[in-house]
Amino acid sequence: MQHNIIITGVGGQGVVTLGLIISSAAISFGERAIMSEIHGLAQRGGSVSVDVRIGNYRAPIVPDGKADLIISLEPLEALRAISRAGPSTVVVMGEERLPPVYLGIHRQSYPDLNEIIGVISHKLRLYHLDAMRLAREAGDTRTVNTVMVGYIVGLGLISIPQQIFHREIEKTFAKKYADMNMKAFALGLQTAQKIMATGNDTVEIQHGFG
Amino acid sequence: MSSYRELVTQQPGSNAFLLGNEAIVRGLLEAGVEAASTYPGTPSSEIGDALFEIAEEAGIRFEFSVNEKVAVETAFAASLSGLKSFVFMKHVGLNVASDAVMSIAYTGVGAPMVIMTADDPSMFSSQNEQDNRIYAGLSHLPMVEPSDPQEAKDFLISAFDMSEREKLPVLFRTTTRTSHMRSTVTFGSPRQRTRYEVLNDPGMFVTLPSNSYKFKEKLIERMGKIAAAGYEKVFNSTIVNSGSNTGIVCSGEAYNVISDVLTEIAQPLDILKLGLINPLSEGMIVDFLSTHKTVLVAEEVDPVIESGIRAISQKNGLAVTILGKLDGTFPMSYEMSPSATEKILRKMLHLERNENSEKITLGYSVPPRPPVLCPGCPHRGTYFAVKRAVKMLRIDNPIYSSDIGCYSLGDYEPFKEATVMLSMGSSIGVASGFRGATDRRIISFIGDSTFFHSGIPGLINAVHNRSRILFVIMDNDVTAMTGRQPNPGTPANLMGGLRSISIVDLVKSIGVDFIREIDPYDLRESLAASMEALRHEGVSVIIAKRECAIIRDNRNRKAGISEKYKVNPDKCSGCMNCVTTFSCPAMSISNGKVTIDPALCDGCGVCAQPYVCPFNAIQIDEVSANAA
């Protein structure tokens, strides 16, 4: 199995944990995985990026253009990560918008979500969902990254069976959060399965769930 | 690791998915280290976080020292007392510590001692990307460099063995990629601890010139012994893939990148992988050079190995062609990029360009997201108030002399309160130096930890020389930027009974005659104090005291306290004063009005003050019961 995955978002969204769940699941499934974490200057609120490489790799950075999958918890960060994408990269994007202070300082609003969706899907295959809404449904906004994992597994973008992820979620989180995260995973998974069933890649549908 | 404790409790033979820095902590346990010290610095910080959590259980005497020099001196004292000791820091920390390290090279150590430097090629979180492998040559000390977490653990244990045999401190170098890379590590068994007998005759560890004169020769002799002692078998490996004409010499992360690129382009060239950076293993290198027509040296930042290899080649009269940075094959800056390296190798080997690696361009300019002060960060109030005071007093074009910490972010919009910033503690040293050289007003910022680290001499210098400076000490109780480690000023209850040092008392004792303590959450008080301080002739000190917002947030979350602020849209005039001058990450513009994201708001309430919102539109949100 070979997967080159870039995970991005904003500090505090759980980017590193998302990377850990995927890497650990790959290892439990008998694959080799390595991961790189870059902790920037800000404790919270800066761009955060984690690379996960599943397969026989040594260097933890995904080479430019070689990402199979970009997972972004934030739309502008998805756009930013596209500079590292190649023609066959699939993008999975959470819709939670976190406006950088730059916008306010320059009296600008956050770009229209549909515009971002349009820009990315014009060039690359894009899946996106309101993961925050599902996280709230699961009981805690902090489960948003686990919703994304379920969504990706449901879309069949990672060839690791869901049972392995169940085990990893139980191992990763303390008991009281494990149940919530299980639910978050299931909600993401079911959303993806509905999309797969209708054969419609993107847009509209996701807003209907909740 | 859901908890660093697993580094202690997991069984030998078991596997864990570890950060390089976590593997290093496990290495300390397996090597039987008994003393460790540091000053926090990325990319080495997690080692300190882990040790802070597990030191007591693991029986390690660990401290966050006041700066890197004292950390090295602390570890050295432990070594002299017979304890296997470890000191670690970021690369620029070794500059601070180098004075002590250069002397320890001369005296040698008692019990084994390893000094770790975590370098930061590409400067992810540092002011430069200096290549600390050069310190090995400068100090004549052995240096070892791992390429991944497993090697980080194993090489560290071997480095202690080397230190034990050779009686020298061993330098251990990682880079951001090895320290912050995660991969599977197999645990070994912790060694029995030994208390070493250390001879301590008068003069043995005293660097008086007459002694040092002898120490120098002994050091060179020791290094000569190390070169002949067979350590290349422990740290280096030759990977003969094809018996190719072209070979590659590399180390650390460069080895990882080269391995992957060779697989990608299906060119199984021979590799000589060096883990022993100083002294270079001449015999092994000569063998490799003489069996290849062309040898490419792949390394990050400076041509350290390349220079050594060129010297070895010249000395041995070899005809091999050597390529690296010095001839322009590789760039002189930044970490190795896998895609750039692939291009370089394809060109060198006359292979076709890879058309699949084309990049995607969206033709869309993405608004930048530079690092920001957190919601509720007390520094925001301080910067806001000082900037306002400067404006109200019509001070034209002041010089802001800033320092290293979270508050360095005051350089960015909207505050732009940094004119100059060099290194830890430089804010006040530089500020003091402007005396008599310029008419511009000098305002200097420093954090509590950086003040203790190396700001105190600068303040003494400023007072002694009768400089005129507003010196703002932003005291948030912790070393915040590296992850909220304790420092000498941290309240005693947060650091297990150590004695807390009072910044006010310190400043008073230096003879500063204008000292105000302010709460940066109180903008009126902060503004008034800043204006008064700026009118003061001489050195005025403002201590802006308020704990780091993350500490407060964590405590509130545990206690179930959740206060949020919101914008009343009927009162919001859309003047944008809040987003353009205060710029909390929780605020943004939507449909011409400002909104506050309740998930980001930390309830500090500073924005509700009229300086930020003159229309009184920001109010506490009564119905803000957080889902969490």
Side-chain angles (χ1 to χ4, degrees), chain B residues 585-608:
Chain B
M587 296 171 165
S588 61
I589 301 171
S590 177
N591 299 322
K593 306 253 176 182
V594 172
T595 57
I596 294 176
D597 182 345
L600 294 177
C601 176
D602 99 321
C604 73
V606 180
C607 60

Side-chain angles (χ1 to χ4, degrees), chain B residues 145-160:
Chain B
E145 180 180 24
S147 67
D148 65 14
Q150 180 75 50
E151 269 184 14
K153 178 178 85 65
D154 296 342
F155 280 13
L156 182 60
I157 298 166
S158 301
F160 276 106

Side-chain angles (χ1 to χ4, degrees), chain B residues 24 82 87 110 113 127 147 149 256 259 273 300 317 392 566:
Chain B
I24 285 166
V87 56
M113 174 172 172
Q127 66 266 39
S147 67
N256 298 333
S259 297
K273 172 178 177 292
E300 294 185 307
M392 288 180 75
K566 66 172 181 187

Side-chain angles (χ1 to χ4, degrees), chain B residues 99 113 149 164 170 235 374 528 580 622:
Chain B
D99 210 358
M113 174 172 172
E164 178 164 353
V170 174
F235 296 112
C374 303
T580 56
E622 306 295 345

